[in-house]
Amino acid sequence: ILPATVVYLFYLIIVVSTHQQALPMIAIIMIAVTYGLQAIIFILKREFMLCGWMVVYILSYPVYSFFLPVYSFWCMDEFGWGNTRLVIGEGKDKKVIIN
């Protein structure tokens, strides 16, 4: 669901910047309230450093919400990193040998 969220956010940015369709006010208001309330709380508590980290969070959002989930799904069945253990026997006689 994270990649779909990133695609929708980019869609909102494109729609708002090109004025192609009616402005999706509810979505924009919800995003502005979420991040704006956080920024106001940080400023009132005089935690200006957290405002900077919020900017880093917003800029890195596509990486960990789009690229990492897509990459992990794409490489889900890849076991090129090798064996982490060797199992000998079956049932109660099973022995695990760790490398």
Side-chain angles (χ1 to χ4, degrees), residues 7-73:
V7 170
Y8 181 67
L9 285 175
F10 281 127
Y11 166 76
L12 279 177
I13 291 169
I14 291 170
V15 165
V16 169
S17 63
T18 59
H19 304 291
Q20 291 178 352
Q21 297 178 0
L23 200 64
M25 288 302 293
I26 293 175
I28 293 172
I29 289 171
M30 289 180 68
I31 292 170
V33 165
T34 301
Y35 292 116
L37 184 62
Q38 287 180 6
I40 290 170
I41 291 172
F42 294 157
I43 291 170
L44 289 177
K45 291 181 72 174
R46 297 177 192 249
E47 296 285 341
F48 301 111
M49 175 190 64
L50 294 178
C51 290
W53 282 112
M54 187 169 67
V55 171
V56 170
Y57 167 80
I58 291 171
L59 292 176
S60 64
Y61 186 79
V63 172
Y64 62 81
S65 293
F66 183 78
F67 295 115
L68 287 178
V70 168
Y71 177 77
S72 66
F73 182 75

